[in-house]
Amino acid sequence: MEAFLGLMIPIIALSIPIIAIWTTHQRKLAEMQIETTASASAEKAAQYATQIQRLEDRVQVLERIVTDKGYDVATQIEALRDARSHDEAAGMSLDFDKRERA
């Protein structure tokens, strides 16, 4: 029994720092994963907000075209096409235009 106890004391004494190091490492990994997830969520939220804003802007333009009497629809459509061409030249790709042209 004394031999067993004499063997267990150093094993326990050495395992305590190892467990402390391991738990600290696991905590840091969990924190990094939370930060990564939060960052990815924030990026997606920003992308969705941008898409929603663009759609709202387009709906407002379409509402103006439909509701304004005496409005020159052909001129407005051409202005939208010009604006769309300008956006594409500035690096903003509009995928639906490519599908319409194909």
Side-chain angles (χ1 to χ4, degrees), residues 1-98:
M1 181 71 174
E2 289 179 24
F4 178 72
L5 192 55
L7 182 63
M8 290 306 292
I9 290 174
I11 290 174
I12 292 172
L14 291 174
S15 64
I16 290 173
I18 292 171
I19 291 171
I21 291 170
W22 181 79
T23 54
T24 302
H25 177 69
Q26 292 299 322
R27 183 180 47 83
K28 287 181 182 178
L29 286 176
E31 288 173 355
M32 288 172 42
Q33 187 176 19
I34 289 169
E35 289 174 9
T36 303
T37 303
S39 175
S41 296
E43 287 178 20
K44 285 185 180 184
Q47 289 174 350
Y48 290 143
T50 302
Q51 289 175 343
I52 289 170
Q53 184 60 47
R54 287 178 54 206
L55 289 173
E56 287 175 350
D57 292 344
R58 295 187 69 177
V59 168
Q60 286 177 354
V61 169
L62 291 173
E63 286 174 346
R64 273 197 315 254
I65 291 172
V66 171
T67 58
D68 286 349
K69 293 183 180 180
Y71 202 80
D72 186 10
V73 176
T75 304
Q76 180 64 21
I77 291 172
E78 288 303 317
L80 289 173
R81 286 185 182 147
D82 292 342
R84 215 179 294 158
S85 297
H86 181 266
D87 288 345
E88 286 176 351
M92 296 168 55
S93 175
L94 299 174
D95 294 333
F96 63 90
D97 285 343
K98 294 176 184 172

